[in-house]
Amino acid sequence: MRKKNINRKLKFAANMPPLYHTLPGEKYHYSKSEVLDWLSKRPMLIEYIYEQASNAGLIIYDSATGIWTGVEYDGD
């Protein structure tokens, strides 16, 4: 069996404790997910998402202003 190539910045997830993504007896909502809450507090995940968005060209950097902006941002 071939080993999956996992980005080193995601390996922290292997240490996640037992958590609910959908709380027992409730309908799923992202704001109640213990899993998403735990993941969102991990700096390596936030950095990974930033790098993925940047590398994909979804956000661009303006060196004159020092500001990053989404490529489809229309001012709203």
Side-chain angles (χ1 to χ4, degrees), residues 42-76:
R42 301 305 177 272
M44 293 298 279
L45 178 63
I46 303 305
E47 185 176 346
Y48 174 77
I49 293 169
Y50 157 77
E51 288 175 358
Q52 293 299 304
S54 176
N55 291 340
L58 298 171
I59 57 175
I60 54 173
Y61 180 71
D62 182 337
S63 59
T65 63
I67 295 174
W68 286 85
T69 307
V71 295
E72 294 181 6
Y73 179 72
D74 64 4
D76 289 338

Side-chain angles (χ1 to χ4, degrees), residues 2 4 11-12 23 31-32 35 43 46 52-53 63-64 75:
R2 199 170 114 194
K4 290 183 181 181
K11 289 187 178 183
F12 72 90
L23 296 174
S31 67
K32 295 181 180 181
V35 173
I46 303 305
Q52 293 299 304
S63 59

Side-chain angles (χ1 to χ4, degrees), residues 5-49:
N5 185 16
I6 299 172
N7 184 295
R8 65 178 173 76
K9 291 187 176 170
L10 294 178
K11 289 187 178 183
F12 72 90
N15 293 313
M16 185 179 77
L19 300 168
Y20 288 106
H21 190 50
T22 302
L23 296 174
E26 296 189 23
K27 289 186 177 183
Y28 170 77
H29 193 271
Y30 68 88
S31 67
K32 295 181 180 181
S33 170
E34 294 176 348
V35 173
L36 295 181
D37 182 58
W38 187 88
L39 290 170
S40 72
K41 294 176 181 169
R42 301 305 177 272
M44 293 298 279
L45 178 63
I46 303 305
E47 185 176 346
Y48 174 77
I49 293 169

